Amino acid sequence: MTSTNQNIEQLLILCQSGNQRAQLEIYNRYNKAMYNTAIRIVKDSFKAEDIMQESFLTAFTKLKSLEDTNMFGAWLKRIVINNSIGYYNKKVRQNEVPLDAVIYKVEDNDGIVEPDQNNEKVKQILDVMRTLKPNYSLSLTLHLIEGYDYEEICEIMNISYANCRTLISRAKESLRKKLVLKAS
């Protein structure tokens, strides 16, 4: 049986023993989705690539701490999001170029159903989301695209539950207003 035909559990067992072919197979299966997750948060293709690769290295070195191999994808995504948020927070603290000023292109947007990707309304919403304040854009991306609930967003963004609800509510309202202005 070749490594491409092996199920994820077998591949993870091989990865724990340092099998590079198994690691490459895991990487090939998950890299596109993890890149898309990172770029939606950091909005810089080079940094998203770095974060994705660092996240895979972290996952492979901490694989023994994963209790349920069926949860590998979610676990890896959490590592990518945590690394992306860490970069985002560091960038905000350093007052680097605002995220809104960075022009980027997402080649594949896993968070949206395939037929909807070409929908003009979806493109318009995603374009307008990019113009929101960074914390609004980030909270809406986590909530609406990545599917995280308020508790998870609180943990990721290190804010209180009340702050999270207020932030997302204000972000949605800001998005609505910008969409109405764009439509008129």
Side-chain angles (χ1 to χ4, degrees):
M1 178 185 297
T2 64
S3 65
T4 56
N5 295 331
Q6 292 173 320
N7 71 31
I8 195 75
E9 290 179 25
Q10 293 169 319
L11 286 170
L12 291 174
I13 290 169
L14 291 171
C15 286
Q16 284 183 348
S17 64
N19 184 310
Q20 290 181 344
R21 278 191 170 166
Q23 290 175 343
L24 181 61
E25 179 62 28
I26 294 285
Y27 178 85
N28 289 336
R29 288 186 187 187
Y30 289 94
N31 71 30
K32 195 172 189 180
M34 297 305 125
Y35 170 81
N36 287 331
T37 297
I39 198 163
R40 281 193 289 264
I41 295 171
V42 300
K43 296 181 174 35
D44 176 321
S45 62
F46 295 114
K47 192 61 191 171
E49 184 81 24
D50 287 346
I51 288 170
M52 178 197 61
Q53 290 177 359
E54 289 169 18
S55 298
F56 273 101
L57 289 174
T58 301
F60 290 140
T61 57
K62 296 185 177 189
L63 202 51
K64 290 180 179 161
S65 69
L66 179 62
E67 295 173 13
D68 182 1
T69 54
N70 293 325
M71 297 300 294
F72 177 76
W75 181 68
L76 177 61
K77 187 174 185 178
R78 185 62 168 203
I79 293 170
V80 170
I81 287 175
N82 286 342
N83 288 343
S84 299
I85 296 289
Y87 170 77
Y88 168 83
N89 288 337
K90 180 180 170 188
K91 190 172 179 179
V92 167
R93 276 193 303 273
Q94 292 176 349
N95 291 323
E96 292 181 9
V97 176
L99 294 177
D100 294 344
V102 179
I103 298 173
Y104 70 98
K105 176 183 175 196
V106 178
E107 293 176 4
D108 182 13
N109 198 341
D110 276 347
I112 296 175
V113 182
E114 194 67 36
D116 289 341
Q117 286 182 356
N118 297 322
N119 183 321
E120 280 304 311
K121 199 166 204 159
V122 170
K123 285 181 182 178
Q124 181 183 14
I125 291 169
L126 291 174
D127 287 343
V128 172
M129 275 181 64
R130 290 183 194 109
T131 68
L132 297 175
K133 288 191 218 177
N135 60 338
Y136 284 6
S137 178
L138 177 60
S139 63
L140 286 179
T141 297
L142 290 172
H143 186 60
L144 301 176
I145 296 174
E146 298 299 333
Y148 285 96
D149 62 27
Y150 289 155
E151 289 85 9
E152 293 169 317
I153 295 170
C154 292
E155 188 178 317
I156 290 168
M157 294 182 73
N158 196 24
I159 57 177
S160 70
Y161 186 82
N163 256 358
C164 180
R165 288 179 53 98
T166 302
L167 178 66
I168 291 173
S169 175
R170 288 179 180 166
K172 286 179 181 178
E173 186 58 31
S174 179
L175 180 63
R176 276 188 211 99
K177 285 179 181 175
K178 287 189 177 211
L179 286 169
V180 166
L181 286 175
K182 193 168 186 163
S184 6

